[in-house]
Amino acid sequence: MKLYEIFIRPKSGLNHRHVGSLHAADARMALQNARDVYTRREEGVSIWVVEAAHITASNPEQSEPWFDPAADKIYRHPTFYPLDKEVDNM
Amino acid sequence: MYSQGLQDAKGGPEPEGLLKAFQKRIDNEEKIEPRDWMPEAYRKTLIRQMSQHAHSEIVGQLPEGNWITRAPTLKRKMILLAKVQDEAGHGLYIYSATETLGITREEMTRQLLSGEAKYSSIFNYPTPSWADMGAIGWLVDGAAIMNQVPLCRASYGPYARSMIRICKEESFHQRQGYDIMTTLARGSNAQKKMAQDALNRFWWPALMMFGPSDKDSKHSVQSMQWKIKRFSNDDLRQKFVDVTVPQAEHLGLTIPDEDLKWNEERGHYDFGEIDWDEFINVIKGNGPCNKERLRARQKAHDEGEWVRKAAEVYQQNQRDAA
């Protein structure tokens, strides 16, 4: 059976969030099992099931050079720009 | 040094630089995630610990499943059903988390059924009375919580996350057990006797759940360093005794230990020596129900064979139709 990753939206207005995985023959069975396993206490209002094989992930061993381009761009953050006291917040 | 003698998957030494960086991450309370580099021994130890844990959840359904059809009221029956269903869920959370370390579900099942993998010794004791459902929830799930709460901070991310889910649910288990004990302890003389009898039988096995005494525990030091174990067996056991004794007193029940005494100086209860021969004997497979439990798992596995086959054929048919 195939491995599915399970994502649950706790309530409307929030993102779906990864909660775990399970095995199923197809997406419908995965959905049903996900409901039984991961929402026994009303943990969600919506479930996504995604075949694990369909997920493409970044490589953790390369994460330093991969995310490096963002590291030296502190001017992207508002705190980079000092404000005069009189202006206070912006 | 911690890394000395660690071997990689092929039996060669682990690279010193990677080992140091790995331990540093753990010392900094960073979580290790499935595709991160990890020493082979860390992976193996986790697979052993986590699969044992998952097996315990699954086998743990059996002593309680025993009472579903005979629960005294419809309310108790529904509660017990929900609890046993939770245990199946807990097993699945941990099996899934263990699979991220590269072992298959089939292999874990095989190890359980062949007796290669262990599960908690407590589930090899029989449950001849309804009061045992109370004692199990109160004591066995209570002891499990003591073990599991620190594991919510385990260094391996998927393990820690599954523990957080589990701990949220365990506290229902413990309370429903104590609720059963409370009802019996405040009932007729016969009911009080039942409650006391269940406590007598489950007290010592519950203390054994924390594993061998620190002086005999061979896995502890490395596991503490790796933060897949946060407190020693004896510390957790002491904590369990300290919180449980007043709960028993509150119900007017007596802990079956003549040496049990509050030690003012230590600020803890002193308690008697555990029968380690019994513990080792049960671990070795010679407890009162070891064979029965494995037989029941094997039977369930065999009888589920056609369901797994049907699912596979269905999957194949769908692929062919696409």
Side-chain angles (χ1 to χ4, degrees), chain A residues 21 23 26 40-41 58 60, chain B residues 35 86 96 99 105 169 314:
Chain A
S21 57
H23 295 266
D26 71 345
R40 289 196 301 280
R41 287 176 176 77
S58 61
Chain B
R35 303 203 312 149
D86 272 355
S96 299
E99 286 173 72
R105 184 80 59 87
E169 302 181 355
Y314 173 75

Side-chain angles (χ1 to χ4, degrees), chain A residues 48-72:
Chain A
W48 286 349
V49 299
V50 182
E51 228 187 290
H54 289 165
I55 294 177
T56 308
S58 61
N59 181 353
E61 272 161 40
Q62 310 248 300
S63 61
E64 218 171 293
W66 179 254
F67 293 108
D68 182 64
D72 59 356

Side-chain angles (χ1 to χ4, degrees), chain B residues 129-148:
Chain B
S129 131
W130 167 254
D132 296 343
M133 299 303 98
I136 286 183
W138 172 37
L139 302 174
V140 175
D141 290 281
I145 290 172
M146 288 281 163
N147 260 320
Q148 287 168 345

Side-chain angles (χ1 to χ4, degrees), chain B residues 169-238:
Chain B
E169 302 181 355
E170 286 291 358
S171 108
F172 141 57
H173 297 178
Q174 192 186 17
R175 282 197 190 199
Q176 66 84 36
Y178 195 67
D179 187 62
I180 292 174
M181 292 304 260
T182 307
T183 306
L184 291 173
R186 292 180 184 156
S188 66
N189 278 338
Q191 284 174 314
K192 269 180 218 159
K193 244 177 105 185
M194 274 172 73
Q196 182 62 52
D197 169 64
L199 173 58
N200 291 349
R201 282 180 292 107
F202 276 93
W203 175 253
W204 290 104
L207 293 192
M208 292 176 198
M209 284 177 68
F210 295 95
S213 161
D214 292 348
K215 55 185 194 301
D216 302 318
S217 180
K218 54 182 177 179
H219 301 299
S220 282
V221 177
Q222 179 67 83
S223 294
M224 295 273 234
Q225 236 153 14
W226 279 335
K227 298 190 180 168
I228 51 182
K229 191 182 170 104
R230 289 275 184 167
F231 295 98
S232 80
N233 294 351
D234 287 338
D235 286 351
L236 289 170
R237 191 165 13 240
Q238 180 72 60

